[in-house]
Amino acid sequence: MLTILSFLLVGVMAGYALRHTAIQKRLGRTMPLTIWLMLFVFGVSIGADPLILGNIGDFGGQALLLCCAGMAGSIVFVAVVWRLFFSKGGRL
């Protein structure tokens, strides 16, 4: 866990240091590709794990519920933030 947070912190510091350089713009264009690649690797690792596939019936419903609840919460949060800060009648 500490390794993951360390990588995240180093990445944040590097991004802050490089925020006004040309390399940052090029790196910004690679983000969608990187995300798709990580999702693919994640899917391969799930598909290769017999324990996960054997229990997909048990975990599938819970995963669907968590996914839907997370999406609903995100939509509500974005709607509230949009209304408060970005709409014409907002406070700011």
Side-chain angles (χ1 to χ4, degrees), residues 11 14-15 18 21-34:
L18 298 172
T21 63
I23 193 169
Q24 190 273 338
K25 291 179 184 175
R26 280 186 256 139
L27 288 174
R29 290 187 207 124
T30 65
M31 272 193 273
L33 177 62
T34 304

Side-chain angles (χ1 to χ4, degrees), residues 1-90:
M1 182 70 172
L2 186 59
T3 304
I4 294 170
L5 292 177
S6 299
F7 269 97
L8 180 64
L9 183 61
V10 169
V12 168
M13 290 187 301
Y16 183 78
L18 298 172
R19 69 185 182 277
H20 297 297
T21 63
I23 193 169
Q24 190 273 338
K25 291 179 184 175
R26 280 186 256 139
L27 288 174
R29 290 187 207 124
T30 65
M31 272 193 273
L33 177 62
T34 304
I35 292 170
W36 284 109
L37 182 63
M38 288 187 334
L39 286 171
F40 176 76
V41 170
F42 185 56
V44 168
S45 67
I46 289 173
D49 190 341
L51 181 63
I52 293 175
L53 288 180
N55 293 314
I56 197 74
D58 297 333
F59 297 135
Q62 293 173 0
L64 180 63
L65 178 65
L66 285 172
C67 176
C68 291
M71 287 191 314
S74 295
I75 290 169
V76 168
F77 182 76
V78 167
V80 168
V81 168
W82 183 266
R83 185 172 183 148
L84 289 176
F85 297 106
F86 299 106
S87 70
K88 207 171 193 179

